[in-house]
Amino acid sequence: MSIQKPSLPKGTRDFGPIQMARRNYIFKIIKETFQLYGYQQLETPAMENLAVLTGKYGDEGDQLLYKILNSGDFLKKVKDPDLREGSTAVMPKVAEKGLRYDLTVPFARYVVMNRHEINFPFKRFQIQPVWRADRPQKGRYREFYQCDADVVGTDSLICETEILLMIRKVFFRLKLTDYNIKINNRKILTGISEVIGEKGKESALCVAIDKLDKIGWGKVQEELLQRGFSRDAINKLEPVINLSGGNLEKISFMKQFLSSSDQGMKGIMEIEEIFQLLEEFGEEEDHIQFDVVLARGLSYYTGAIFEVKVNKVSIGSVSGGGRYDNLTGVFGMEGVSGVGFSFGVDRIYDVLQELNLFPDDHNQSSCAMIGYFDEEGRNYGLKILNGLRSVNIPAEIFPDYAKVKKQFNYADRKGIPFVILVGSDEIKQHKITLKNLKTGEQKLMTFEDAIGTIKAS
Amino acid sequence: MSIQKPSLPKGTRDFGPIQMARRNYIFKIIKETFQLYGYQQLETPAMENLAVLTGKYGDEGDQLLYKILNSGDFLKKVKDPDLREGSTAVMPKVAEKGLRYDLTVPFARYVVMNRHEINFPFKRFQIQPVWRADRPQKGRYREFYQCDADVVGTDSLICETEILLMIRKVFFRLKLTDYNIKINNRKILTGISEVIGEKGKESALCVAIDKLDKIGWGKVQEELLQRGFSRDAINKLEPVINLSGGNLEKISFMKQFLSSSDQGMKGIMEIEEIFQLLEEFGEEEDHIQFDVVLARGLSYYTGAIFEVKVNKVSIGSVSGGGRYDNLTGVFGMEGVSGVGFSFGVDRIYDVLQELNLFPDDHNQSSCAMIGYFDEEGRNYGLKILNGLRSVNIPAEIFPDYAKVKKQFNYADRKGIPFVILVGSDEIKQHKITLKNLKTGEQKLMTFEDAIGTIKAS
């Protein structure tokens, strides 16, 4: 074997101890919140058959799927004419499986395959990595985690309301206070396109107004004109774009505006019901904003749509979702309505880092290390160590004989808060010296008192 | 899009809510034990560069690596002559990345790439899936989790001793009582081959005696003869094969037997020191067996080796590991000694299932469901629901208006233990009816009393 300088594939990352502790802090809060609301965990395999994945994410998505080379003689099905046609013709003959691209399609597959065993409405959450052969850039990776919660088999708007509550709960626990949960409804967007006289063009409308934040109303108008919207339609749209005020005011305006569109009215009624349900829960509207121009890219949404933005940070959009009426239709199971949302863990990580919101004890290292000078001290220390662990205090000993300074350096670098020193004096008196590495304080005490001090810290 | 009947790739599995709850039960115990002993978590990407993976697992291992097709025009580097040579010649030109095959090689890569930042001795654990293009069969999957703990940068036998303690701790918490932790040392096997006059043949010796359990001493002798061992060597080996008695007796016998071999004596001293350290920790020898014929397949072990077998179950071997002296050498970093072990979670799952050892509350569903008859009840129920969650009781409401029987069926199938019924009587009296679905008992009470009852259950 030759010696290599090892490297990581572009767009992928290792997560070392501190990053893992911070990520676990986020995962734990999200997971506990999902469970508090009755969601149960699902895991699906990293590899899916390409037949399951292909065609679900548009042409661009298909390009971004990672394909797995068939095992063994993968060329055996490839004929000369295929080769002349190039990679696109050869791909299906050399690869049958791919890596999952999101958690939604595998979830739909699971629901269809287990439809007879599932207890509907089925509330599931899933926290797993996904892979996309995208061009890596700041904040965009080829492997990243998604945290999804979806409920399928009901069209009750209680589910939408609970999603709003779950997002607020997670943010509360993460100590994030300056954020908005924007909510809209695809039917409202359909209604708007009808009312402004551009029925059937809601997709183009969505794509254009989705850019409002980035490019402004002037440029969006240009794009709408290019996409064949009339000047008259754009003029009719303008009051919607400029809509301001509280949620009730906006709802009231849109009820007027959409009165001639059945779909639009259905959408606005759904928004209204969500706010009413929020009240039935005994909850306020804090952080929740009805935003008529929220569009979201994904085409499969049919009802409510959500997006969460943290204010005053560089990458603010950290969560989103919506209702879909036919997620499982492509696998032959019609009429299953569902609603779901997703937390972007990598982005939440960056936001917490930027706002300095990670708790101090995030690195989950041992609470105490045994320090010793010689074999007698080490042996005495091993019993102390075992005693700490038996009362559930994570602890360790520097395994090699080394200068005490080296032992302290190790504890310090690992973020271990206490060192228990055992020298001949301590052994003689059946005590230990407890040193607090943060304050520098040290004190001779009994083992029982040391446990008390460590547990209280 | 055409309608497809979706399926899973062979050898892969979905884990539904109950399986996930059981798996999480196992993971949690393992993870907490690793942390109790000062190990910190690491995660590495699913994809590694093939240069990192290839050549580390032998020729057979290379065949079993999943390779990822390069993105875009993957055929562009392939020339006609390559194609004539077939899949083996083409593979390196169409695939640069592969899926990780175990957690050990990615760990070694991580250590080498982060050598200047790591605080040695580095105690890391890692719980992630690995992928092998193996033929699927009962108990063997193409995607499965490994749970590894390794410490690198020390040759202290305290680490070996702590591994024994961690295994016992995990098994104690899993309520597994009938098992053996077998321990041996590669240097002892080297010594044996020297003493019986077959110096340098320890690999062949290991491979043969590894089968002792399966094929018996008779067949092993045949195999040794075939592998060029002399009759005389086999006769000399026989007392070692037949060695019985307690750990101290075996150590004492082997000290005599190996007295002419430096390596062998070093190995036996290491075993002896581990038992001494166990005593220094204040621990007994329970479950720990010195087993001179334990060989273990992997060639990179150089010191202690472990294997854990659960007795009286169909697949007993659930954990194993050992010391290696040069894991990172292949990546250009010499002289890093380490020791590690791994829990086979799928096997532990099967063992717990077979012995009926999963706790009852393993499905982690909600603790209570709100049941209601009409809109008034639902709205009253939403406040109750919010109240339960505010005191951290996982709870839910059947989101659609449905017959109470349907609501109860849902709770029952999901394993929810309590239903809180709210009808007009309850609303009038500002109370609720709490029904225990296991006992059938139901009682009108205040919300506060209901919280007490649910929390106490």
Side-chain angles (χ1 to χ4, degrees):
Chain A
M1 288 186 283
S2 65
I3 284 168
Q4 318 140 347
K5 206 176 158 216
S7 64
L8 269 177
K10 244 188 289 176
T12 70
R13 297 162 291 172
D14 291 320
F15 299 115
I18 290 177
Q19 289 153 302
M20 276 310 295
R22 290 178 175 174
R23 289 169 64 85
N24 285 336
Y25 166 74
I26 300 170
F27 286 136
K28 183 168 184 276
I29 286 175
I30 292 175
K31 194 174 161 175
E32 286 175 356
T33 304
F34 288 159
Q35 285 172 337
L36 193 64
Y37 280 76
Y39 285 76
Q40 295 180 307
Q41 195 167 7
L42 172 71
E43 280 192 9
T44 63
M47 298 187 289
E48 293 276 355
N49 289 319
L50 277 175
V52 165
L53 300 176
T54 311
K56 310 302 186 297
Y57 308 104
D59 287 347
E60 200 200 349
D62 284 352
Q63 293 297 319
L64 300 184
L65 289 173
Y66 277 110
K67 286 101 182 171
I68 292 168
L69 204 58
N70 293 340
S71 301
D73 182 13
F74 60 88
L75 283 177
K76 68 174 178 254
K77 287 185 201 158
V78 178
K79 304 279 172 261
D80 279 350
D82 303 322
L83 283 170
R84 262 172 266 127
E85 281 183 53
S87 294
T88 314
V90 170
M91 194 282 288
K93 308 208 167 179
V94 302
E96 279 163 13
K97 292 187 283 286
L99 294 179
R100 73 174 159 252
Y101 180 89
D102 70 1
L103 303 178
T104 309
V105 167
F107 173 53
R109 176 196 52 68
Y110 176 84
V111 169
V112 174
M113 285 177 67
N114 297 277
R115 60 212 289 180
H116 301 300
E117 287 77 43
I118 288 173
N119 188 25
F120 289 103
F122 180 39
K123 298 172 115 173
R124 90 85 174 78
F125 75 89
Q126 195 168 347
I127 301 179
Q128 291 191 277
V130 301
W131 295 269
R132 296 180 186 179
D134 224 331
R135 189 192 302 270
Q137 48 178 257
K138 191 179 168 348
R140 194 204 278 161
Y141 301 98
R142 289 181 163 176
E143 172 179 279
F144 58 98
Y145 268 74
Q146 290 194 333
C147 292
D148 284 20
D150 291 77
V151 45
V152 291
T154 171
D155 54 12
S156 166
L157 294 166
I158 290 177
C159 304
E160 274 84 342
T161 315
E162 290 190 334
I163 287 175
L164 301 175
L165 295 176
M166 281 191 277
I167 293 169
R168 283 212 306 225
K169 177 85 180 176
V170 165
F171 278 46
F172 175 77
R173 290 192 60 191
L174 291 173
K175 301 187 175 51
L176 283 166
T177 51
D178 192 1
Y179 66 93
N180 295 311
I181 308 173
K182 295 182 176 190
I183 175 167
N184 195 14
N185 193 300
R186 270 291 162 85
K187 298 188 186 88
I188 290 176
L189 294 164
T190 305
I192 291 172
S193 66
E194 280 177 37
V195 166
I196 64 173
E198 299 284 3
K199 192 173 170 172
K201 285 197 186 158
E202 62 261 41
S203 293
L205 181 70
C206 284
V207 171
I209 67 172
D210 209 23
K211 299 176 187 164
L212 211 50
D213 266 5
K214 281 183 201 146
I215 62 176
W217 175 227
K219 296 260 183 205
V220 169
Q221 289 181 66
E222 281 173 32
E223 180 162 340
L224 287 170
L225 286 170
Q226 273 169 18
R227 287 175 180 272
F229 284 67
S230 72
R231 193 68 251 177
D232 181 52
I234 293 172
N235 289 340
K236 281 186 181 150
L237 178 63
E238 194 158 81
V240 173
I241 301 290
N242 293 327
L243 191 59
S244 66
N247 292 322
L248 287 183
E249 287 169 82
K250 286 184 191 167
I251 288 172
S252 164
F253 174 89
M254 290 306 292
K255 268 190 184 169
Q256 287 291 326
F257 186 85
L258 294 169
S259 56
S260 64
S261 158
D262 283 354
Q263 276 292 300
M265 285 308 280
K266 201 156 182 292
I268 198 76
M269 293 308 203
E270 288 180 14
I271 289 285
E272 200 170 21
E273 193 181 333
I274 291 171
F275 280 103
Q276 278 160 2
L277 283 167
L278 204 59
E279 218 178 302
E280 296 300 345
F281 269 102
E283 292 277 342
E284 309 284 331
E285 288 177 26
D286 307 7
H287 299 289
I288 300 166
Q289 284 183 351
F290 172 37
D291 182 353
V292 193
V293 297
L294 174 68
R296 285 190 69 77
L298 286 170
S299 59
Y300 56 72
Y301 292 128
T302 51
I305 44 181
F306 315 97
E307 191 163 293
V308 187
K309 283 193 178 165
V310 181
N311 300 322
K312 295 171 197 151
V313 292
S314 41
I315 300 177
S317 176
V318 296
S319 175
R323 178 170 288 277
Y324 38 81
D325 276 336
N326 200 17
L327 194 67
T328 53
V330 67
F331 297 125
M333 186 178 174
E334 301 285 342
V336 182
S337 186
V339 58
F341 74 116
S342 183
F343 283 112
V345 173
D346 289 300
R347 288 180 167 197
I348 292 176
Y349 187 104
D350 289 346
V351 166
L352 295 184
Q353 183 110 307
E354 197 171 334
L355 299 174
N356 205 14
L357 286 177
F358 282 113
D360 252 5
D361 57 352
H362 55 254
N363 65 349
Q364 292 183 346
S365 73
S366 305
C367 297
M369 186 192 79
I370 311 292
Y372 59 96
F373 303 89
D374 52 22
E375 190 176 345
E376 193 196 8
R378 190 199 68 174
N379 290 347
Y380 185 79
L382 289 176
K383 285 183 192 66
I384 300 288
L385 178 59
N386 213 25
L388 289 170
R389 289 169 178 162
S390 73
V391 295
N392 234 6
I393 294 175
E396 60 191 284
I397 191 167
F398 196 84
D400 302 295
Y401 292 110
K403 292 211 171 107
V404 173
K405 187 164 184 255
K406 189 172 177 186
Q407 298 178 43
F408 272 93
N409 276 345
Y410 171 84
D412 203 44
R413 286 191 63 188
K414 201 165 172 177
I416 299 174
F418 291 100
V419 171
I420 290 180
L421 264 178
V422 281
S424 46
D425 276 3
E426 283 86 358
I427 299 174
K428 220 175 291 162
Q429 302 182 53
H430 292 284
K431 294 197 171 174
I432 58 95
T433 295
L434 184 68
K435 177 162 185 169
N436 182 324
L437 290 194
K438 275 177 204 156
T439 63
E441 245 182 311
Q442 70 174 58
K443 211 180 141 186
L444 189 73
M445 58 176 81
T446 63
F447 174 63
E448 288 70 27
D449 286 344
I451 287 178
T453 307
I454 293 169
K455 285 210 161 174
S457 77
Chain B
M1 287 186 283
S2 65
I3 284 169
Q4 318 142 347
K5 206 174 158 217
S7 64
L8 269 177
K10 243 187 288 176
T12 70
R13 297 162 291 172
D14 290 320
F15 298 114
I18 290 177
Q19 289 152 303
M20 275 312 294
R22 290 178 175 173
R23 289 170 64 84
N24 284 337
Y25 166 75
I26 300 170
F27 286 137
K28 182 168 185 277
I29 287 175
I30 292 174
K31 195 174 160 175
E32 286 175 355
T33 303
F34 288 160
Q35 285 172 336
L36 193 65
Y37 280 77
Y39 286 75
Q40 295 180 307
Q41 194 166 8
L42 172 71
E43 280 191 10
T44 64
M47 299 188 288
E48 293 276 356
N49 290 319
L50 278 175
V52 166
L53 300 176
T54 311
K56 311 301 186 296
Y57 308 105
D59 288 347
E60 201 200 349
D62 284 351
Q63 293 297 318
L64 300 184
L65 289 173
Y66 278 111
K67 286 101 181 170
I68 292 168
L69 203 58
N70 294 340
S71 301
D73 182 13
F74 59 88
L75 283 178
K76 68 173 178 254
K77 287 186 202 157
V78 180
K79 305 278 172 261
D80 279 351
D82 303 322
L83 283 170
R84 260 172 267 126
E85 280 184 52
S87 295
T88 313
V90 170
M91 195 282 288
K93 308 208 166 178
V94 300
E96 279 163 12
K97 294 186 283 286
L99 294 179
R100 71 175 160 250
Y101 181 88
D102 69 1
L103 304 178
T104 308
V105 168
F107 173 53
R109 176 195 53 68
Y110 177 85
V111 170
V112 174
M113 285 177 67
N114 297 276
R115 60 213 289 181
H116 301 300
E117 287 76 44
I118 289 173
N119 188 24
F120 289 102
F122 181 39
K123 297 173 114 174
R124 90 84 172 81
F125 74 90
Q126 196 169 347
I127 300 179
Q128 291 190 278
V130 301
W131 295 270
R132 296 181 186 178
D134 224 330
R135 190 191 302 269
Q137 49 178 255
K138 190 177 169 349
R140 193 204 280 161
Y141 301 98
R142 289 180 164 177
E143 171 179 279
F144 57 97
Y145 269 74
Q146 290 194 332
C147 293
D148 283 21
D150 291 78
V151 46
V152 292
T154 171
D155 54 12
S156 165
L157 294 166
I158 289 178
C159 305
E160 274 84 342
T161 314
E162 290 191 334
I163 287 175
L164 301 174
L165 295 177
M166 281 192 277
I167 294 169
R168 284 214 305 226
K169 176 86 180 176
V170 165
F171 277 46
F172 174 77
R173 289 193 60 190
L174 292 172
K175 300 188 175 49
L176 283 166
T177 52
D178 192 1
Y179 67 92
N180 296 311
I181 308 172
K182 295 181 175 190
I183 175 168
N184 195 12
N185 192 301
R186 271 290 163 86
K187 300 188 184 88
I188 290 177
L189 295 163
T190 305
I192 291 172
S193 66
E194 279 178 37
V195 167
I196 64 173
E198 299 284 1
K199 191 174 170 172
K201 286 197 187 159
E202 62 261 41
S203 293
L205 181 70
C206 284
V207 172
I209 67 171
D210 209 23
K211 300 177 187 164
L212 210 50
D213 267 5
K214 282 186 199 144
I215 63 176
W217 175 229
K219 296 261 183 204
V220 169
Q221 287 182 66
E222 282 174 31
E223 180 161 340
L224 285 170
L225 285 169
Q226 274 169 17
R227 287 176 180 271
F229 284 67
S230 72
R231 193 67 251 176
D232 181 49
I234 293 171
N235 289 341
K236 281 187 182 148
L237 178 63
E238 194 158 82
V240 173
I241 301 290
N242 293 327
L243 191 58
S244 66
N247 293 321
L248 287 183
E249 287 169 83
K250 286 184 190 166
I251 289 171
S252 163
F253 174 89
M254 290 306 292
K255 268 190 184 168
Q256 287 292 325
F257 186 86
L258 294 169
S259 56
S260 64
S261 158
D262 284 352
Q263 276 292 299
M265 285 308 282
K266 199 155 183 291
I268 198 76
M269 294 307 204
E270 289 181 11
I271 289 286
E272 200 171 21
E273 193 180 333
I274 291 170
F275 280 103
Q276 278 160 1
L277 283 168
L278 204 59
E279 219 179 301
E280 296 300 346
F281 268 102
E283 292 279 340
E284 308 284 331
E285 288 177 26
D286 307 8
H287 299 288
I288 300 165
Q289 284 183 351
F290 173 36
D291 182 353
V292 192
V293 296
L294 173 69
R296 287 190 66 78
L298 286 170
S299 58
Y300 56 72
Y301 292 128
T302 50
I305 45 181
F306 315 97
E307 190 162 292
V308 187
K309 282 193 178 164
V310 181
N311 300 323
K312 295 171 198 153
V313 292
S314 40
I315 301 177
S317 176
V318 296
S319 176
R323 179 170 289 277
Y324 38 81
D325 277 336
N326 200 16
L327 195 66
T328 53
V330 67
F331 297 124
M333 185 179 174
E334 301 285 343
V336 182
S337 186
V339 58
F341 74 116
S342 182
F343 283 112
V345 172
D346 289 301
R347 289 180 167 195
I348 291 176
Y349 187 103
D350 290 345
V351 166
L352 294 184
Q353 182 110 306
E354 195 171 336
L355 299 174
N356 205 15
L357 286 177
F358 282 114
D360 252 4
D361 58 352
H362 53 255
N363 64 349
Q364 291 184 346
S365 71
S366 304
C367 297
M369 185 192 79
I370 311 292
Y372 58 97
F373 302 90
D374 51 24
E375 190 176 345
E376 194 198 6
R378 189 199 68 173
N379 290 348
Y380 185 78
L382 289 177
K383 285 182 192 65
I384 301 288
L385 178 59
N386 213 24
L388 290 169
R389 288 169 179 162
S390 73
V391 295
N392 234 4
I393 294 175
E396 61 190 283
I397 191 166
F398 196 84
D400 302 294
Y401 292 110
K403 292 212 171 105
V404 173
K405 188 164 183 255
K406 190 172 176 186
Q407 298 178 44
F408 272 93
N409 276 345
Y410 171 83
D412 203 43
R413 287 190 63 188
K414 201 165 173 178
I416 299 174
F418 291 100
V419 171
I420 290 180
L421 263 178
V422 281
S424 47
D425 278 3
E426 283 85 358
I427 299 173
K428 218 176 292 162
Q429 301 182 54
H430 292 285
K431 293 196 169 174
I432 59 95
T433 295
L434 184 70
K435 178 162 184 168
N436 181 323
L437 290 194
K438 275 178 203 155
T439 63
E441 246 182 310
Q442 70 174 59
K443 212 180 141 186
L444 189 73
M445 58 176 82
T446 62
F447 174 63
E448 288 69 27
D449 286 344
I451 287 177
T453 308
I454 293 168
K455 285 210 160 174
S457 78

